[in-house]
Amino acid sequence: EKCKSGGIDFEEFRQFLYLVMEVPQHAGLPTSFLRYVWSQVDVDLSGKVSLNEFLHWWLKQLHDGATPLEYYYSHVRQIGCRFLDPPAYPALNSVRRRRATTQLAG
């Protein structure tokens, strides 16, 4: 809290998140994410976060010792050949595949 106003504003909170999540300033966090987190912290909609509001939110963020950054990324969809989505349609077994191929050819 820079100006001793009894709470932190959105910009100060954004800077705090960058610090604790170890996000480089040039990388940035999506504004929608920042607004969402802010809405979870500023429960009285005052535009400032009191120490009580902050501590209540912060203690909810401690998941099994994970930092907020680790927790956030543990819920981001994994990408790669080991994490492919299931097929949209069930795979055709060999008999159905043969029948479908015969019908298309005929």
Side-chain angles (χ1 to χ4, degrees):
E1 177 198 12
K2 293 178 183 173
C3 61
K4 310 283 186 221
S5 64
I8 60 173
D9 62 20
F10 178 78
E11 181 58 28
E12 291 169 323
F13 184 71
R14 183 188 70 79
Q15 292 173 8
F16 170 78
L17 284 181
Y18 274 75
L19 180 67
V20 298
M21 293 180 73
E22 301 175 0
V23 176
Q25 290 289 335
H26 70 276
L29 288 169
T31 303
S32 58
F33 171 74
L34 294 168
R35 290 284 175 201
Y36 171 76
V37 174
W38 178 254
S39 74
Q40 300 299 303
V41 181
D42 185 20
V43 293
D44 66 0
L45 304 175
S46 66
K48 295 263 185 200
V49 173
S50 69
L51 179 60
N52 285 339
E53 286 176 310
F54 175 78
L55 287 176
H56 180 74
W57 172 79
W58 182 255
L59 291 173
K60 288 192 317 186
Q61 304 312 305
L62 301 176
H63 304 278
D64 298 325
T67 66
L69 179 65
E70 291 166 338
Y71 180 75
Y72 172 74
Y73 279 110
S74 73
H75 289 81
V76 174
R77 183 172 174 260
Q78 295 181 328
I79 299 174
C81 61
R82 292 186 18 224
F83 306 104
L84 296 177
D85 289 339
Y89 303 99
L92 295 175
N93 64 29
S94 59
V95 173
R96 288 177 59 202
R97 189 178 305 116
R98 217 173 314 130
R99 194 176 311 142
T101 305
T102 305
Q103 287 175 349
L104 289 174

